[in-house]
């Protein structure tokens, strides 16, 4: 698909312009910072883009403000008593020093136990906990992916988990590869399912157009509620860096 990128500034708001082989213009605002993207047919005149953006200015400002006012976690110090989330549930971290291998586990329904060496640094604790989230998320994905591939009628060839700065997920349509944000390990399972459905639907429709929305309405009728719930949850202190 032919694409080109440019920028447009309207009322001190910067909009990324993506020209590609599509029929209609599509405007979107993305979490966590309210990044704005306007997709348009390749030959769309600059003045047409400007007038379209102006006509949507109040809508843009509303959505940007919603993302900017979204709760942010305070910077994690990885100390005992600190709050951490697993699958949407709040746990209190308990850090225990030990000479053996480091590990992470849930202790009952309220405690997240982090066992590390006595001299473990904040960065080391962060890495250990992050890999635990990655392992848990990777164990949860295959069953959900298989479930929704069957319902949607598509098949991905590969999937992975990584940190992403501006997306909850991504789909490489040519290679049929799905990527999921590591931060989803902290969110309710239904939010993870919503992102899986979203990315798999791109295997049927590349763009976020009316056809895409119709597919989403069929596969997951309450997807808008799940999207709202996900985007209203606190995001990481470093804006996901997903």
């Amino acid at each position: 698909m032919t694409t080109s990128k440019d920028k447009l500034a309207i009322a001190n708001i910067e909009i990324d312009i993506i020209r590609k082989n599509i029929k209609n213009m599509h405007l979107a605002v993305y979490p966590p910072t309210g990044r704005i993207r306007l997709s348009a047919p390749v030959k769309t005149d600059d003045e047409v883009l400007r007038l379209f953006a102006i006509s949507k200015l109040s809508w843009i400002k509303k959505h940007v403000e919603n993302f900017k006012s979204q709760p942010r976690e305070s910077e994690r110090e990885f100390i005992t008593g600190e709050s951490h989330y697993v699958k949407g549930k709040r746990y209190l971290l308990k850090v225990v020093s030990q000479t053996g291998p480091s590990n992470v586990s849930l202790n009952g329904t309220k405690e997240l136990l982090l066992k590390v060496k006595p001299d473990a640094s904040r960065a080391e604790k962060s890495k250990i906990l992050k890999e635990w989230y990655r392992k848990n998320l990777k164990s949860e994905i295959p069953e959900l992916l298989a479930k929704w591939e069957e319902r949607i009628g598509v098949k991905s060839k590969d999937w992975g988990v990584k940190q992403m700065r501006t997306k909850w997920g991504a789909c490489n349509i040519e290679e049929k590869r799905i990527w999921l944000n590591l931060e989803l390990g902290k969110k309710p399972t239904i939010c993870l399912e919503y992102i899986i459905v979203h990315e798999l639907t791109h295997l049927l429709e590349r763009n976020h157009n009316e056809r895409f929305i119709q597919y989403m309405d069929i596969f997951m009728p309450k997807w808008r509620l799940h999207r709202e719930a996900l985007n209203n949850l606190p995001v990481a202190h470093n804006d996901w860096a997903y």
Side-chain angles (χ1 to χ4, degrees), residues 74 85 88 185 191 209 216:
S74 58
Y85 288 82
C191 294
N209 53 24
M216 289 294 295

Side-chain angles (χ1 to χ4, degrees), residues 6 11 30 35-36 38 51 69 84 100 134 154 157 167-168 180 184 187 192 202 213:
D6 204 347
Y30 294 95
R35 177 174 60 91
I36 309 160
L38 174 57
L51 292 175
S69 63
H84 288 260
R134 188 186 306 276
V154 296
K157 290 184 178 179
K167 299 179 180 179
W168 287 115
L180 298 165
L184 287 167
K187 311 306 180 186
L192 170 61
H202 277 305
I213 292 172

Side-chain angles (χ1 to χ4, degrees), residues 8-56:
L8 173 68
I10 300 291
N12 295 321
I13 296 175
E14 189 173 86
I15 302 171
D16 292 329
I17 304 297
I18 310 294
R19 286 184 168 87
K20 51 188 179 180
N21 295 330
I22 56 177
K23 293 182 179 180
N24 302 305
M25 288 188 285
H26 177 76
L27 184 66
V29 181
Y30 294 95
T33 58
R35 177 174 60 91
I36 309 160
R37 186 176 74 177
L38 174 57
S39 300
V42 174
K43 295 183 179 180
T44 305
D45 185 80
D46 288 347
E47 183 64 10
V48 173
L49 292 175
R50 190 182 72 83
L51 292 175
F52 180 81
I54 290 174
S55 73
K56 300 292 184 180

Side-chain angles (χ1 to χ4, degrees), residues 170-181:
C171 178
N172 184 316
I173 296 171
E174 286 73 23
E175 297 183 10
K176 295 187 177 181
R177 179 185 295 120
I178 304 297
W179 288 104
L180 298 165
N181 192 325

